[in-house]
Amino acid sequence: TRMAALGVELRDREGLGVMALTGVHQDGDANLARAVFERAGIPVHVKPLTQREEDFIYDAVRQTRASGIVFDIRTSLAPAVLDTLHASGISIVVIDDATARRLKADIAVYPPVPQALELDWHAFGGELLVGPQWVLLPRSVALHTLSLNLKHEERLLVSLGASDPLRLTESIARACAAAVSAPIDVIIGPSFADADEISKRLGENP
């Protein structure tokens, strides 16, 4: 979904030609990925089961004469493949990649998580982008205006998942409380470092 969102912006806002590559993995087929890209009007090529991932990529780059490639993958693709692409003049972007591939990229993009900065970046010569402003969301999210006139019986739920390393839950909950009149439920995950303190503060000063 985030690659489709990026592809739409590169095509519509930057005027670039965009093609998506995907593969068939053990956890399912490529039909869902194909459908997401096709709904966005982006042509998509699916890797044949018998073809190696690197050969699939090389073929696509040659056929399209691509000038850049964005990797958002969880495969075992070797970092040397990115070296080969670089040698051909291809610009490379990696999305949320913790493997050694990130060190071969021109741009590495990560959500606002501390794990990204804890990685070893000494051998990295590209541009590192970490933060909420780099989270890839569909245009519909950016254009959507949340109605603050919730119905009386409706409630608002705030949840940042199992952990909150940046301790944003309380500030987000308070910002929501200031913006809406509906009751707010806050989920404090099992890995919160200061769960009791947050619960106490919100309970005493909602």
Side-chain angles (χ1 to χ4, degrees), residues 20-76:
L21 305 179
T22 188
V24 179
H25 305 290
Q26 293 180 350
D27 57 352
D29 59 33
N31 289 333
L32 177 58
R34 184 198 295 273
V36 169
F37 287 114
E38 288 180 345
R39 281 198 301 271
I42 297 174
V44 55
H45 290 193
V46 178
K47 183 184 78 65
L49 286 172
T50 56
Q51 189 176 26
R52 296 191 309 169
E53 184 178 14
E54 55 264 44
D55 293 335
F56 176 58
I57 294 170
Y58 294 151
D59 288 347
V61 168
R62 282 193 297 267
Q63 292 169 9
T64 61
R65 297 181 180 179
S67 57
I69 184 167
V70 180
F71 287 99
D72 184 6
I73 58 176
R74 295 293 183 270
T75 67
S76 58

Side-chain angles (χ1 to χ4, degrees), residues 111-115 117 131-132 160 163-171 194:
V113 294
Q115 293 91 328
L117 297 177
L160 272 71
S163 64
D164 182 11
L166 298 182
R167 301 186 178 186
L168 298 175
T169 296
E170 183 175 357
S171 59
D194 53 352

Side-chain angles (χ1 to χ4, degrees), residues 56-141:
F56 176 58
I57 294 170
Y58 294 151
D59 288 347
V61 168
R62 282 193 297 267
Q63 292 169 9
T64 61
R65 297 181 180 179
S67 57
I69 184 167
V70 180
F71 287 99
D72 184 6
I73 58 176
R74 295 293 183 270
T75 67
S76 58
L77 185 71
V81 174
L82 278 66
D83 284 330
T84 301
L85 293 169
H86 255 154
S88 301
I90 305 295
S91 298
I92 296 175
V93 179
V94 297
I95 306 294
D96 198 12
D97 193 334
T99 73
R101 288 188 299 260
R102 73 187 191 281
L103 302 177
K104 308 293 184 177
D106 298 292
I107 301 175
V109 184
Y110 297 82
V113 294
Q115 293 91 328
L117 297 177
E118 291 169 359
L119 295 169
D120 185 357
W121 292 101
H122 289 95
F124 181 61
E127 184 178 5
L128 178 60
L129 305 177
V130 181
Q133 68 271 38
W134 305 113
V135 175
L136 299 173
L137 297 173
R139 186 183 301 177
S140 58
V141 174

